[in-house]
């Protein structure tokens, strides 16, 4: 597992990705838009999401302000 403290900046970039592993995200500040497959959630401070990274996904700021998150990435191949 690799824990990260990430500040995400607003962007127009919308590239969906997929890769081996699993991800857990916890929102500290701001809002996050998380899309996994066809499901879309807007997360607020205190919200979290967990998903299999092999599913197509996209995570980005929601709204015009930065978002600060804790991300824990597991690939199982280290």
């Amino acid at each position: 597992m690799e824990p990260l403290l990430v500040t995400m900046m607003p962007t127009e970039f919308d590239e969906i990705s997929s890769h081996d592993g699993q991800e857990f995200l916890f929102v500290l500040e701001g809002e996050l838009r998380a899309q996994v497959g066809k499901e879309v959630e807007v997360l607020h401070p205190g919200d979290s999401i967990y998903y299999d990274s092999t599913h197509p996904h996209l995570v980005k700021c929601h709204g015009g302000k930065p978002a600060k998150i804790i991300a824990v990435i597991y690939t199982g191949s280290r």
Side-chain angles (χ1 to χ4, degrees):
M1 283 189 232
E2 183 177 359
L4 305 162
L5 177 60
V6 180
T7 300
M8 301 181 75
M9 302 305 289
T11 180
E12 296 298 318
F13 187 69
D14 278 345
E15 185 174 328
I16 292 178
S17 67
S18 62
H19 50 86
D20 288 340
Q22 300 166 16
E23 296 183 33
F24 168 80
L25 308 177
F26 182 85
V27 181
L28 297 169
E29 298 175 8
E31 296 180 338
L32 196 68
R33 180 183 182 276
Q35 177 179 346
V36 180
K38 295 183 181 187
E39 297 292 321
V40 177
E41 299 281 337
V42 174
L43 306 175
H44 302 91
D47 291 342
S48 63
I49 188 169
Y50 169 83
Y51 53 89
D52 184 328
S53 303
T54 61
H55 295 269
H57 60 280
L58 169 67
V59 177
K60 62 185 287 182
C61 290
H62 181 77
K65 296 182 180 177
K68 187 178 287 188
I69 66 169
I70 295 173
V72 180
I73 313 297
Y74 174 73
T75 60
S77 61
R78 291 209 172 196

